[in-house]
Amino acid sequence: MNVILIEAHELTDDGTAVLTDRRAEHIRKILRARPGDRLRVGLLGGLLGSGELLSLTPLRLRCVFDQPPPARPRIHLLLGMPRPITLKRLLRQAAELGLESIELLRTARTEKSYFDSPVLGKLEQYTRQGLEQAGGTRLPSIGVSLRFRPFVEDVLPGRIAANDRALLAVVGAGKPLKSLELAGSQDLHLAIGPDGGWLPFEAELLAQAGFEGVSLGPRVFRTDTALTWAVAQLVCCRRQHPKIAKE
Amino acid sequence: MNVILIEAHELTDDGTAVLTDRRAEHIRKILRARPGDRLRVGLLGGLLGSGELLSLTPLRLRCVFDQPPPARPRIHLLLGMPRPITLKRLLRQAAELGLESIELLRTARTEKSYFDSPVLGKLEQYTRQGLEQAGGTRLPSIGVSLRFRPFVEDVLPGRIAANDRALLAVVGAGKPLKSLELAGSQDLHLAIGPDGGWLPFEAELLAQAGFEGVSLGPRVFRTDTALTWAVAQLVCCRRQHPKIAKE
C-alpha cells in the first residue's frame, strides 16, 4: 500500500478521517507508524497529499490533499472476459497502470460460468488495490457486456471519438504495435482477447468498429503480460523524439 | 501450453519422443489431440517445429524441428531477490519475455528465509512454463548471489561488455526509460530492486558498476508489472524510426 486512499465522505470539516478497516491495520502493523508521523494519502477520485497520524486507537489521520495524482495514459481497455482468477489480477493491474476504463466482454470463448464469479461483486475492491500499489487515486470505470454483437455494433462506436485510435492486440504477423506513431492528444482504445483469442467473426466486427490489428510481437503472452506490454509500448510510442526529428 | 517442449535426449533417431508426464496429459486432456494431428513442438535450446501424434497410449510424437524460435530481446535481468510467491511468477515471466539470464541477488531488504524456499529447487520448472506459454525454446540461465558487494564489484563488471548498456529501474524522477535511444546491437542489463527498493549504498555500488538510473514513470509498479513494462519499453526504444529520421 503505497498510498492510503480515503473517500470524501470519510473526512470531517478539518480534514480528519477515522479509519477502522484494513487501512488502519496496514498503518499499525506494516508501516508501524506512530502519532506525529506523516503518511502518503490520496482522496479517491482527487488529489494526493499527506496525512498526519493523530492517534492510533482510534486511528485518526488529519489529511491535506494538495498534489496532483500521476498523469494517466488515457487508455480504455476492451477485454474478452477471462477466467475469474485472471480477472482478479487484471483488475488490479488495470488500475495500477492508470487505465480509464475496462469493458468486460463476453466472447464466444468465454465460459458462461465466469459471469457467476464472486470476483464480479468485488470489482472496486480489486481496482482499489491497484491504485494503492501504484499511488493513483482514480478508479477505472468498469462495464460488463454479455452480448458481443450489440455492444460492438451499437455501443462501442459511440465511445470512440473521431480523434481516438482503436487497436486490437494480435500475436505474430501484423503491424507492430511498437512502431505506431501516436499523437499525445489521442485517447487510445485497446482490445485484448480472451484465452485462445477472438474468433474470426469477433475480430471482424471489431475491425468494422474501427479497431486496427497491431502485433505485440512473436511471443504468445499471458493476458496480464500482454496488457502491461501493450500499455508500456503505447506510452513509449507517444514520446517525443526531438533528437531524431531534428536530423 | 502453446508449444510442447522436448529435450534432445528424449528423441530417438527418427525424431520420435514418448511422453509420459504433464505434456502427455496436456495433449490428451486439454488439446484433445487424435493420432494424425500435428502439434507445435520445440526442441529445448533449439528450433521449433511440428510433431505428428502417432499414438495416444503410449503417447508418441514424431517431430521435425525446422523453424527458428522467436528472436529474443537480449536482456539480462539483475533482480533483488523477491519473496518466493513473487519469484515464482517472475521466473515464468522472464522466460515468457525471452530474457537471456536472471541473477537473483540478496539485498539488504531481502529476508534471509527467501533463500530457503522450495521455489529455488524448481527454477527450471517455472522458467519452462514461461517458454511453453510464449512459444520460446531457450531457458534463461539463472544465478543466485548471496553476497551483494562481491558480486556487484567483482563478478558483474566481467559480464557487461563495452558496448552493452546497463540500466537501473527507478520510480518517479530521473531520465525516462521510454526516451532512451538504443542501438539494436546492444545487449541490455536491467536491474530491478526488491520490494521497497535498493538501499542507497546498493544503488551507489550499482552505479559504480555502470548502471544508469532510468525512470519507469510516476507509478509504483509491483515487481512483475515493472519487469514487463521495462522490457516492453526497451524493445520499443530499439525500434527504427525511418519516417521520423527522414524528416
Side-chain angles (χ1 to χ4, degrees), chain A:
Chain A
M1 216 184 268
N2 290 304
V3 62
I4 310 290
L5 287 176
I6 292 168
E7 295 182 58
H9 70 79
E10 295 179 302
L11 293 166
T12 61
D13 288 345
D14 71 345
T16 301
V18 177
L19 306 183
T20 54
D21 56 11
R22 64 194 181 85
R23 294 170 294 178
E25 183 94 352
H26 181 84
I27 291 168
R28 286 194 196 102
K29 304 223 169 134
I30 309 288
L31 301 181
R32 289 182 193 154
R34 296 294 181 85
D37 286 355
R38 294 191 166 276
L39 310 175
R40 186 135 183 93
V41 295
L43 182 62
L44 199 67
L47 297 174
L48 292 173
S50 87
E52 184 189 349
L53 186 55
L54 300 178
S55 63
L56 275 168
T57 314
L59 197 147
R60 289 161 58 237
L61 271 180
R62 189 165 52 211
C63 304
V64 177
F65 300 101
D66 53 3
Q67 297 152 39
R72 301 189 304 276
R74 301 206 320 285
I75 295 174
H76 306 261
L77 176 64
L78 185 63
L79 188 66
M81 181 72 168
R83 68 188 62 200
I85 195 165
T86 306
L87 176 60
K88 214 191 274 193
R89 188 181 301 154
L90 284 167
L91 289 169
R92 286 197 196 104
Q93 207 179 328
E96 191 184 342
L97 294 166
L99 302 193
E100 299 299 316
S101 66
I102 310 164
E103 188 74 29
L104 300 170
L105 191 52
R106 183 169 171 195
T107 71
R109 286 215 169 94
T110 305
E111 286 182 30
K112 205 178 163 200
S113 66
Y114 293 176
F115 287 95
D116 300 329
S117 160
V119 175
L120 285 179
K122 296 177 180 171
L123 297 174
E124 182 172 330
Q125 177 182 321
Y126 294 117
T127 48
R128 259 180 100 133
Q129 289 172 5
L131 294 183
E132 289 166 351
Q133 164 66 43
T137 63
R138 171 119 185 270
L139 291 169
S141 62
I142 303 181
V144 177
S145 292
L146 295 176
R147 298 173 64 221
F148 187 91
R149 181 187 285 268
F151 175 78
V152 173
E153 290 188 337
D154 305 333
V155 179
L156 198 50
R159 294 193 184 170
I160 302 178
N163 188 40
D164 292 359
R165 191 99 176 241
L167 304 165
L168 180 72
V170 300
V171 172
K175 177 172 188 161
L177 183 145
K178 66 178 178 181
S179 72
L180 294 177
E181 285 170 33
L182 298 171
S185 59
Q186 287 180 304
D187 267 35
L188 302 172
H189 302 261
L190 174 67
I192 294 185
D195 280 348
W198 309 101
L199 291 195
F201 89 89
E202 293 171 335
E204 180 52 36
L205 282 176
L206 286 166
Q208 284 168 21
F211 282 75
E212 49 182 313
V214 285
S215 169
L216 302 191
R219 290 166 195 282
V220 189
F221 293 138
R222 288 182 317 178
T223 315
D224 52 342
T225 304
L227 173 59
T228 298
W229 180 276
V231 172
Q233 292 202 333
L234 289 172
V235 166
C236 209
C237 290
R238 272 213 192 107
R239 67 179 189 173
Q240 303 295 322
H241 305 281
K243 269 195 196 168
I244 300 180
K246 273 181 209 152
E247 281 171 5

Side-chain angles (χ1 to χ4, degrees), chain B residues 71-113:
Chain B
R72 301 190 304 276
R74 302 208 319 286
I75 296 174
H76 306 261
L77 177 64
L78 185 63
L79 189 66
M81 181 71 168
R83 67 189 64 200
I85 195 167
T86 306
L87 176 60
K88 212 189 278 191
R89 189 181 301 153
L90 285 167
L91 289 168
R92 286 197 197 105
Q93 206 178 329
E96 190 184 342
L97 295 166
L99 303 193
E100 299 299 316
S101 66
I102 310 164
E103 188 73 29
L104 300 169
L105 191 53
R106 182 168 171 198
T107 71
R109 286 215 169 95
T110 305
E111 287 181 29
K112 206 177 162 202
S113 66

